[in-house]
Amino acid sequence: MYWLSEVYIALRDFMESGGTVLWYIALLVTFMWALILERVYYFLFVHDEIANGIQKKYLAMNFKSPWHKFQIKTRLISEGKISINKNMQLIQVCIALCPLFGLMGTVTGMIEVFQIMAFTGGGDARSMAGGVSKATLPTMAGMVISLFGLYFRQDLNQRMDKIIINLRDSLKSEGYQL
């Protein structure tokens, strides 16, 4: 149990040395990971049921013509794509916002450094160190988090592509090709 308190103290010290912008980055990251985990859960546990429902709907329909069959297949695949792509744009926005929040931390930290320089005449390096820390830590955190987010977004995109191909293959249509 001692290690838990050590982790808490280290995390608290890191967040304090990074300034208030680091807390905003933490909130953004929590939101982004909730969305990523929701998509992973969807792909692992929910999608197969939805895809089977789409396939059953397609097989249960009576078609008037090959064109009609093609249009219904297109509609059903589009419905599947909507459920597959849910929240992916929001994940992309969160990934793009992480470095921007880091940049905001850089600006606010440098403002603090310049204020200290104005008050002390630029000679107090120890006072400026806190501002430099508040300038660099959010930038580093924003960049590292966005890199991890990009990796998982790419993984989710590859899963989406495979699922869409499988969905198209499961709805075979004669005459017209999608």
Side-chain angles (χ1 to χ4, degrees):
M1 210 49 146
Y2 176 72
W3 65 271
L4 191 59
S5 65
E6 288 293 319
V7 168
Y8 170 74
I9 290 169
L11 185 61
R12 183 195 65 201
D13 291 344
F14 177 74
M15 296 301 282
E16 286 176 1
S17 63
T20 57
V21 174
L22 207 51
W23 288 103
Y24 293 124
I25 292 173
L27 287 172
L28 180 65
V29 167
T30 303
F31 181 66
M32 179 182 75
W33 279 105
L35 293 173
I36 289 173
L37 291 175
E38 183 273 331
R39 286 288 85 196
V40 169
Y41 178 82
Y42 171 83
F43 291 141
L44 292 176
F45 301 110
V46 177
H47 175 71
D48 289 338
E49 186 177 316
I50 291 175
N52 289 337
I54 289 173
Q55 189 175 15
K56 286 178 185 176
K57 236 193 255 187
Y58 180 74
L59 295 174
M61 292 184 171
N62 293 325
F63 304 106
K64 298 176 185 173
S65 67
W67 179 86
H68 187 249
K69 187 175 187 178
F70 175 77
Q71 295 302 321
I72 289 176
K73 178 182 175 183
T74 304
R75 189 195 76 196
L76 291 174
I77 290 173
S78 294
E79 288 174 3
K81 281 183 181 180
I82 288 171
S83 66
I84 291 168
N85 288 323
K86 183 180 175 189
N87 293 333
M88 288 304 292
Q89 291 295 323
L90 200 51
I91 291 170
Q92 181 64 31
V93 168
C94 290
I95 291 169
L97 282 177
C98 284
L100 294 177
F101 274 35
L103 181 62
M104 186 171 69
T106 301
V107 171
T108 58
M110 292 310 294
I111 288 172
E112 186 174 318
V113 169
F114 293 143
Q115 285 176 343
I116 291 170
M117 287 175 65
F119 290 136
T120 63
D124 191 10
R126 188 169 289 206
S127 298
M128 290 188 300
V132 171
S133 173
K134 285 184 182 177
T136 56
L137 286 178
T139 305
M140 178 208 48
M143 295 301 283
V144 168
I145 291 164
S146 66
L147 287 174
F148 280 112
L150 284 172
Y151 172 77
F152 284 100
R153 182 201 51 126
Q154 183 62 28
D155 182 59
L156 290 174
N157 281 341
Q158 288 175 350
R159 288 179 192 229
M160 285 179 4
D161 292 342
K162 287 178 186 175
I163 287 172
I164 290 170
I165 289 170
N166 289 340
L167 185 62
R168 283 185 180 154
D169 289 345
S170 70
L171 304 178
K172 294 287 183 188
S173 173
E174 299 83 28
Y176 290 89
Q177 293 298 321
L178 220 67

